[in-house]
Amino acid sequence: MTTLPLIGLIGAGGTISSLATDPRDYMDYPETGRKLSVHEVLEELPQLREFAALKPLAFRSVGSSAMGPEDWLRLHATITAAITESPEIAGFVILHGTATLEETAYFLSLTLPADRPVVVVGAQRPLNTLSSDAPANAINALRTAASPEARGRGVMVVLNDEIHSARDVTKGSTFRLDAFYSPAHGPIGVCDPDRLVFYAPALPRDAGPAFDLSGVTALPRVDIFHAYAGNDGVMVRACLAAGAEGLVSAGFAPGMPPPLEREALVEAARAGVPVVQASRVGAGRVARRGWLTRERWIASGDLSPVKARILLMLALRQSRDPDELQRIFDRH
């Protein structure tokens, strides 16, 4: 008899852990329905135990719009504590809401070792609705976390039969089941009915995390500014007054803030506050050329603004020098 691998199952809420009050409610359930704990999810989906031996790990069950940096640190601590307690754990699955799923996944990918797979999974429709994608997504997440081929791939996101890297994936639709995609590189694999198919071997990676969180209890404040016609930079100055230690400009493509906002950001950079230039469009690269080089701003490359914020929050613990920060962005 084959022994199933042990997988830590963390319940962080979201649609995948929700019950609606009506089987056709795909919209109002966040206000009218109920969030389930990880143990209650297992009662609703007992078939999950067919794919792995499960170690349920309690977390707070909320909509992911309520998730933030404090929760990322707690999730990291939950995973590292579980590994210490049960070294035989082969991987983890995190049940998560889709609103901030890509941010949680990217943070964990930068702060956890790559050896044990961590799969962050959500759903677009509650557990008890017609045509819910929650059961299939949860099963595929467990299959991925338990797969020997997933080792060394770090943190992944699984929805709609696709496997994505945490770095590249983003949510691109409000209600469709194929909401998640990776605009630059596409999925790294698929969950077919008979087997998982990864498109390339796992890249050789240092077993250690990119950023060590030992002793970290809080992350620096970093704010994002979305470019729009006529933006006058007032929000930049307000966030600086509120204590922002880093700034991300989600600029017009290929990476430009509007003129008055740029003036405020230039003032901030010259005063020693690191500024990252990203793009508000869904794909493409921001290069460090021209005035970005002259003003010593950091180019985000092809990182989205929300992921550039996460990387800057972590990188600020290592350096505040713009050139060193650029080297960190180029690596990650």
Side-chain angles (χ1 to χ4, degrees):
M1 183 174 180
T2 303
T3 301
L4 294 174
L6 180 62
I7 300 296
L9 183 65
I10 302 174
T15 301
I16 196 168
S17 302
S18 294
L19 294 180
T21 55
D22 183 281
R24 294 183 63 252
D25 178 13
Y26 305 136
M27 186 178 294
D28 298 324
Y29 62 89
E31 287 75 37
T32 60
R34 184 164 68 90
K35 297 282 188 299
L36 304 180
S37 70
V38 66
H39 296 282
E40 290 173 318
V41 171
L42 283 173
E43 291 176 8
E44 293 287 329
L45 298 176
Q47 62 268 40
L48 295 182
R49 296 190 184 276
E50 299 174 19
F51 299 90
L54 298 178
K55 181 181 178 70
L57 298 167
F59 201 74
R60 70 187 194 113
S61 296
V62 295
S64 68
S65 60
M67 296 285 281
E70 299 83 3
D71 297 292
W72 302 340
L73 292 170
R74 287 183 56 226
L75 271 173
H76 182 278
T78 298
I79 291 170
T80 53
I83 293 171
T84 300
E85 179 183 314
S86 304
E88 70 276 20
I89 284 183
F92 294 86
V93 167
I94 303 173
L95 307 174
H96 198 289
T98 59
T100 58
L101 185 150
E102 64 198 81
E103 293 169 72
T104 296
Y106 185 53
F107 175 84
L108 293 175
S109 77
L110 292 171
T111 58
L112 288 172
D115 54 347
R116 285 179 177 83
V118 176
V119 180
V120 190
V121 61
Q124 291 289 86
R125 296 175 178 175
L127 269 170
N128 62 337
T129 55
L130 295 171
S131 302
S132 172
D133 56 332
N137 287 351
I139 287 170
N140 283 335
L142 282 173
R143 292 173 63 204
T144 303
S147 170
E149 289 187 81
R151 294 188 70 86
R153 297 181 188 272
V155 181
M156 293 163 282
V157 169
V158 170
L159 286 98
N160 197 42
D161 298 338
E162 294 182 337
I163 307 168
H164 295 266
S165 75
R167 183 192 185 279
D168 297 326
V169 73
T170 190
K171 186 175 182 179
S173 177
T174 305
F175 296 119
R176 301 290 77 79
L177 299 185
D178 59 346
F180 281 78
Y181 72 112
S182 295
H185 306 292
I188 62 172
V190 291
C191 303
D192 283 343
D194 60 332
R195 59 177 289 226
L196 302 182
V197 179
F198 285 98
Y199 296 144
L203 295 175
R205 292 181 59 180
D206 185 343
F211 296 92
D212 184 3
L213 291 184
S214 300
V216 177
T217 58
L219 297 170
R221 176 176 182 138
V222 174
D223 289 297
I224 302 174
F225 306 96
H226 190 87
Y228 56 86
N231 188 331
D232 60 5
V234 167
M235 289 186 289
V236 173
R237 296 182 176 94
C239 288
L240 289 170
E245 298 181 49
L247 307 174
V248 176
S249 166
F252 302 121
M256 300 176 293
L260 293 179
E261 184 185 53
R262 174 173 164 174
E263 288 180 12
L265 290 167
V266 166
E267 291 172 10
R270 291 178 180 176
V273 178
V275 176
V276 174
Q277 183 63 63
S279 170
R280 74 178 194 177
V281 301
R285 184 174 68 92
V286 176
R288 200 189 199 201
R289 298 170 59 87
W291 62 272
L292 287 184
T293 303
R294 291 193 301 272
E295 296 294 343
R296 301 188 74 204
W297 290 19
I298 300 103
S300 70
D302 63 359
L303 278 181
S304 67
V306 295
K307 291 182 180 177
R309 171 181 177 250
I310 292 166
L311 182 53
L312 184 57
M313 293 168 85
L314 291 166
L316 285 172
R317 298 190 61 252
Q318 295 185 356
S319 177
R320 292 177 183 266
D321 175 72
D323 297 325
E324 177 57 27
L325 291 171
Q326 184 65 66
R327 284 189 282 272
I328 292 172
F329 269 74
D330 290 343
R331 287 198 299 272
H332 300 290

